[in-house]
Amino acid sequence: MITTQDKELLAKKGITEAQIAEQLACFQTGFPYLKLDAAASIERGILAPNAEEQKAYLVAWDAYTNTDKTIVKFVPASGAASRMFKNLFEFLSADYDKPTTKFEQAFFAGIKDFAFYDDLDAACRRITGKNIAGLMEEGNYKAVVSALLETAGLNYGALPKGLLKFHKYPEGARTPLEEHLAEGAMYAAGKSGKVNVHFTVSAEHRELFKKLVEEKAGEFAKRYGVDYNITFSEQKPSTDTIAADMDNQPFRDNGKLLFRPGGHGALIENLNDLDADVIFIKNIDNVVPDKLKADTVTYKKLIAGVLVTLQKQAFEYLELLDSGKYTHEQMMEMLQFLQKKLFCKNPETKDLEDSVLAIYLKNKLNRPMRVCGMVKNVGEPGGGPFLAYNSDGTISLQILESSQIDMNDPQKKEMFEKGTHFNPVDLVCAVRDYKGHKFDLVKYVDKATGFISYKSKNGKELKALELPGLWNGAMSDWNTVFVEVPLSTFNPVKTVNDLLREQHQ
């Protein structure tokens, strides 16, 4: 039953009653598992270009950056770093005072190697009158951790990852935000030397991000000889999803409807608002210092080269289809391109008449396109590359999370476990059609690929609805191509101790 108060809240968020009904129905019915054809591999759907092909793709990207096209680097950066410090929060509330677990011992053994060491040392002196070494000597390890995590100190436990000091340089430490600015200059600059970088941030931290940009952008522009255009957006309130109780009724907290952020899939709206031709997407915490950026830069250019090469061919075919002056042989060539280069197959196309086939080809070629880097599977959590069935009977490449796969089916479980590659969130997207119009990306989301998670609020259990993930179901109906990239391009920071790995030193 929707009350007047509920209606006011919905109006404020920009959510309709019909959307609420649709979301509650999802709790009722759940989401179907995706039907799989196979795990993608080098033999099936993942490209591993040889040296000559690599060269051609790099040349293609260089040529593209010399046109008037708009290139944007899109960085989801709203995540708080609290999970990064989970082990240290546990230490603070533990009933012992000395580092006891392997994690705690590694943290203190390597403390001088963290880029934030000097800031932390100063915070310790300010709060306790003693430096880090002094506090550790007297066994007061918790004072050091609380100076790192709590508001009186550096407040790292509540800040977003993008604003934490990750890497040391002779001229001072750098945050992930700064590393993304440096990276953008290396592969995403247009011919005018302009680098467009867009960060999605949370409302509460937006000012801190802007302040850091104001302090640092000039210095990076000078260093790399570019001009920056740095923009921000927040997840839209209209993408929040309703929480449900265990009976699939709207969850109420003190009588008020409870909404939750819809997960990274909500960012398809932010992506859709960008005025761009090509958009790179990469997570905020997957950065390395300059001395290790060479591989990242090469492979970013490479996957972008694959993208613009395929797009050019698709555009030529679409123009030919528009002209109406094509032969049966040319249509067969287009079908081969769709099946062999864009990995989109439909067993029924062999029976289609030319006129129907032309409509099918136009429909499949004229849609957003993405090329995704895939690294060899080393057991990190993350989505995997699969060939999956779509609702229209086609089989295409998709990035799937384990929650989308029926793990009770031994055959599917084996496919998932034997997957050779996984997705490190390394994408480059083409979002305009062959006539130069922007695609409406929201139309290409597969709504049946969301998932339900279980949470609690004030001790009461609730069900939360995650929207189809940004690089999963939100891009389900795009043309998708996978390219193998080296593991050296994937260096995420999941815990604070990851910063002690040599890639971050």
Side-chain angles (χ1 to χ4, degrees):
M1 180 59 205
I2 299 283
T3 67
T4 316
Q5 186 192 18
D6 295 341
K7 284 183 177 169
E8 283 167 14
L9 179 62
L10 292 180
K12 202 167 115 192
K13 282 186 168 290
I15 296 173
T16 64
E17 287 183 44
Q19 280 171 290
I20 298 287
E22 197 181 303
Q23 290 175 7
L24 289 169
C26 293
F27 289 116
Q28 207 82 45
T29 56
F31 291 100
Y33 292 117
L34 252 69
K35 186 179 166 197
L36 304 184
D37 179 50
S41 60
I42 296 291
E43 297 77 41
R44 301 195 65 172
I46 300 178
L47 306 179
N50 62 32
E52 206 170 309
E53 292 165 330
Q54 288 189 22
K55 214 167 168 175
Y57 288 133
L58 293 171
V59 167
W61 179 243
D62 272 346
Y64 190 88
T65 58
N66 276 310
T67 64
D68 292 324
K69 301 290 190 209
T70 305
I71 302 158
V72 175
K73 184 169 157 54
F74 180 88
V75 186
S78 60
S82 43
R83 273 205 303 244
M84 226 176 108
F85 299 108
K86 182 175 163 282
N87 307 70
L88 294 183
F89 276 118
E90 283 166 4
F91 174 58
L92 276 186
S93 56
D95 54 12
Y96 51 82
D97 297 314
K98 285 217 165 78
T100 303
T101 65
K102 268 202 175 111
F103 189 95
E104 292 154 8
Q105 288 167 349
F107 174 80
F108 282 102
I111 198 158
K112 284 190 171 154
D113 295 326
F114 288 111
F116 53 72
Y117 178 80
D118 292 343
D119 289 0
L120 181 57
D121 199 54
C124 288
R125 282 203 299 266
R126 181 168 51 75
I127 296 165
T128 67
K130 296 191 172 119
N131 64 7
I132 293 177
L135 289 168
M136 282 165 61
E137 227 161 83
E138 63 180 37
N140 197 352
Y141 293 94
K142 285 188 177 175
V144 178
V145 173
S146 91
L148 176 65
L149 301 181
E150 292 171 356
T151 19
L154 300 185
N155 199 26
Y156 269 27
L159 289 176
K161 276 186 191 176
L163 300 177
L164 309 184
K165 290 189 173 173
F166 266 31
H167 300 142
K168 283 182 184 176
Y169 286 85
E171 66 277 6
R174 263 191 216 171
T175 60
L177 176 135
E178 292 161 77
E179 295 294 15
H180 278 286
L181 295 187
E183 244 188 56
M186 295 173 188
Y187 58 74
K191 78 167 178 189
S192 62
K194 173 161 279 188
V195 181
N196 302 298
V197 189
H198 184 87
F199 294 97
T200 61
V201 297
S202 61
E204 59 181 314
H205 296 125
R206 189 172 184 145
E207 286 311 312
L208 290 172
F209 274 100
K210 279 169 75 172
K211 188 168 165 275
L212 186 61
V213 163
E214 279 158 23
E215 283 168 20
K216 304 288 185 179
E219 174 188 317
F220 281 91
K222 209 154 82 191
R223 177 173 302 144
Y224 297 108
V226 295
D227 267 331
Y228 286 103
N229 170 35
I230 299 160
T231 51
F232 299 98
S233 65
E234 294 153 26
Q235 244 179 53
K236 298 182 181 180
S238 59
T239 61
D240 290 352
T241 57
I242 189 135
D245 61 21
M246 291 300 127
D247 300 322
N248 303 316
Q249 294 304 309
F251 184 97
R252 291 183 182 275
D253 186 33
N254 294 326
K256 263 180 81 169
L257 288 177
L258 180 68
F259 285 89
R260 302 176 50 85
H264 55 68
L267 299 179
I268 195 74
E269 297 264 2
N270 305 58
L271 202 65
N272 204 28
D273 289 342
L274 294 180
D275 184 25
D277 293 284
V278 165
I279 304 172
F280 288 93
I281 302 179
K282 190 177 168 192
N283 275 345
I284 187 72
D285 65 339
N286 181 15
V287 283
V288 288
D290 282 357
K291 62 178 184 208
L292 296 173
K293 282 196 178 82
D295 276 3
T296 294
V297 171
T298 301
Y299 280 88
K300 277 287 180 295
K301 288 179 173 179
L302 179 86
I303 63 173
V306 173
L307 179 80
V308 296
T309 304
L310 291 169
Q311 185 194 47
K312 187 171 174 237
Q313 182 63 76
F315 283 3
E316 282 169 22
Y317 286 146
L318 285 161
E319 276 156 14
L320 184 59
L321 285 168
D322 257 6
S323 74
K325 298 183 182 121
Y326 45 83
T327 63
H328 178 74
E329 281 63 44
Q330 285 172 315
M331 287 181 78
M332 288 299 106
E333 186 189 313
M334 292 181 214
L335 189 59
Q336 283 293 309
F337 173 75
L338 187 64
Q339 294 180 339
K340 297 260 161 46
K341 300 287 186 196
L342 299 180
F343 303 98
C344 179
K345 295 190 170 108
N346 185 343
E348 285 166 26
T349 45
K350 58 181 184 298
D351 307 322
L352 297 180
E353 284 182 16
D354 277 8
S355 57
V356 184
L357 182 58
I359 295 167
Y360 171 79
L361 286 168
K362 182 159 186 187
N363 186 26
K364 289 297 179 200
L365 292 172
N366 191 29
R367 50 187 189 160
M369 188 185 282
R370 59 178 176 155
V371 175
C372 316
M374 289 288 157
V375 293
K376 285 210 169 83
N377 198 345
V378 284
E380 290 269 2
F386 288 88
L387 286 149
Y389 284 86
N390 305 306
S391 53
D392 66 354
T394 53
I395 296 169
S396 68
L397 291 171
Q398 300 286 356
I399 296 169
L400 303 184
E401 301 291 336
S402 55
S403 61
Q404 294 173 275
I405 297 166
D406 183 0
M407 294 297 185
N408 294 322
D409 177 334
Q411 196 189 354
K412 305 284 187 294
K413 189 170 190 263
E414 188 184 15
M415 261 186 219
F416 182 76
E417 285 170 355
K418 288 201 169 154
T420 55
H421 290 71
F422 88 106
N423 158 51
V425 188
D426 183 1
L427 294 80
V428 57
C429 311
V431 292
R432 283 191 199 279
D433 68 16
Y434 65 112
K435 292 180 174 169
H437 303 133
K438 269 186 61 206
F439 287 111
D440 179 1
L441 303 181
V442 180
K443 288 184 175 153
Y444 297 86
V445 175
D446 178 357
K447 287 186 174 174
T449 55
F451 60 95
I452 292 164
S453 52
Y454 292 85
K455 312 274 181 191
S456 66
K457 172 92 179 168
N458 300 335
K460 285 197 297 193
E461 285 191 334
L462 63 85
K463 291 182 182 182
L465 184 65
E466 295 258 354
L467 296 170
L470 185 60
W471 37 87
N472 313 103
M475 296 179 171
S476 166
D477 201 18
W478 293 36
N479 279 319
T480 297
V481 172
F482 296 150
V483 176
E484 184 176 65
V485 297
L487 207 50
S488 57
T489 62
F490 180 58
N491 299 286
V493 176
K494 298 298 174 211
T495 74
V496 63
N497 283 3
D498 286 343
L499 291 172
L500 297 173
R501 290 185 191 176
E502 60 180 314
Q503 299 93 309
H504 293 286
Q505 288 297 312

